Amino acid sequence: MRLILQEFLSLDGVAQGPGSPEEDTSDGFTRGGWLVPHLDDAYMRIVTGWLDEADAFLFGRRTYVSFARDWPKMNDPDDPIGTKLNGLPKYVASHSLTTADWDPTTILSGDVPAQVAELKRQPGRELQIHGSARLGASLLAAGLVDEVRLMIAPVVVGGGRRLFPENGTPSGLRLLHSETTPSGVTSQIYETTGLPQYGTFDSGA
């Protein structure tokens, strides 16, 4: 399977709590729900199309606990997002969880990158990371992410957990596709290319 990192971001790179004020209040975060005013039919089309490629999901502990609390209640068989999230295999990277009741879920502990590398060797299309910014950044740094998909909302949150931390590992990316919804959300799909290239600007060129 290919490992796909999918994130909802603000213009200033915040990934925390896009869906509601109560989604993730850790570290005193009070600005959740910043993505919701920008949702429209085009956004749903893009996100649903991405989900159609998933054969399994990978979460960090914080995101998993939040999703496991909310998504099992959204069990409408006509909801393509809920159907995928509730029905497909899920993996959660955690050194503290001992049980996971959102079936079917497998807990990954110990050497998580090695276990994710093993999952990538399994047959299937995509193993998708949803949310889980810290896990996603760590697996990107480990060279395990094949593709990065971002939905960037036209808002500056001004604080909160970011996908790409300061002094993180450099990563090269190649843009594969970009699309902007009527509400101003930009969908960007990148292929990872290893370390970035560097150069010197020549003003006489």
Side-chain angles (χ1 to χ4, degrees), residues 55-134:
D55 280 334
F57 299 105
L58 174 62
F59 301 99
R61 179 194 60 80
R62 197 191 306 267
T63 301
Y64 177 83
V65 169
S66 174
F67 276 40
R69 177 193 65 215
D70 298 332
W71 278 105
K73 303 172 187 175
M74 305 177 201
N75 53 11
D76 183 347
D78 294 325
D79 177 4
I81 297 177
T83 300
K84 284 279 189 177
L85 286 170
N86 288 317
L88 288 177
K90 292 166 280 289
Y91 300 89
V92 53
S94 174
H95 298 298
S96 59
L97 288 179
T98 57
T99 61
D101 297 328
W102 188 22
D103 291 330
T105 294
T106 301
I107 298 174
L108 306 180
S109 59
D111 189 342
V112 171
Q115 293 177 77
V116 172
E118 178 58 33
L119 287 174
K120 290 186 61 178
R121 287 190 281 269
Q122 304 304 310
R125 294 173 300 167
E126 294 183 358
L127 173 62
Q128 294 184 355
I129 304 171
H130 286 233
S132 311
R134 290 174 178 169

Side-chain angles (χ1 to χ4, degrees), residues 9-12 34-39 151-157 180-186:
L9 298 182
S10 67
L11 280 176
D12 54 339
W34 44 266
L35 177 65
V36 177
H38 307 286
L39 304 186
M151 295 292 278
I152 302 176
V155 58
V156 174
V157 177
T180 302
T181 71
S183 66
V185 175
T186 302

